[in-house]
Amino acid sequence: MATVLTQAGEEWIVDKLDELVQTEPDWVHWGTGAGTASKSDTALFTPGSESRVQGTISQPAADKLRVVATLTADGAKTITNAGNFTASTGGTLVIHGDFTGISLNQGDKIEFTIDLEIT
């Protein structure tokens, strides 16, 4: 299992510092495919059929950005990975994480908290 700041995410951060982009990484989505998150990822493993959800951004520490979002299953499935994006569709996958599958039924929810900490 892994959680990574993607290469595209690093490039987005530099563009944000340079004020070349005005987007925020506040869109969250999940996927059902198998794999291990890696720095080169630009998409989730088999994105879920649900729409991305716009999360709430906060800064719980001077060096940490947090995005919190709750997704609701539109049917039975097993969620294996999640990430945050800079847009409701397309956009940049900034952080990607994989985990042991979580089985859901229609209407079940998962609240994701995604932290980016500069260390």
Side-chain angles (χ1 to χ4, degrees):
M1 294 186 289
T3 300
V4 298
L5 172 61
T6 66
Q7 180 63 42
E10 286 182 2
E11 293 168 8
W12 174 84
I13 289 169
V14 171
D15 288 346
K16 186 72 169 175
L17 291 171
D18 230 4
E19 296 185 4
L20 293 176
V21 296
Q22 301 304 314
T23 57
E24 294 183 335
D26 57 349
W27 293 92
V28 178
H29 203 215
W30 59 23
T32 59
T36 300
S38 73
K39 192 165 191 66
S40 62
D41 291 344
T42 57
L44 299 175
F45 312 130
T46 315
S49 51
E50 300 80 4
S51 296
R52 292 179 188 168
V53 172
Q54 190 168 25
T56 301
I57 290 184
S58 64
Q59 186 178 347
D63 63 348
K64 185 180 291 187
L65 179 75
R66 175 172 286 162
V67 179
V68 178
T70 302
L71 285 88
T72 304
D74 63 5
K77 59 187 70 192
T78 301
I79 304 304
T80 59
N81 65 118
N84 68 316
F85 294 82
T86 60
S88 60
T89 59
T92 300
L93 174 61
V94 177
I95 297 174
H96 186 201
D98 66 89
F99 42 85
T100 301
I102 301 170
S103 296
L104 302 177
N105 292 311
Q106 183 173 352
D108 287 348
K109 299 178 182 189
I110 297 176
E111 179 182 272
F112 291 97
T113 300
I114 301 172
D115 287 338
L116 171 60
E117 184 173 6
I118 307 298
T119 58

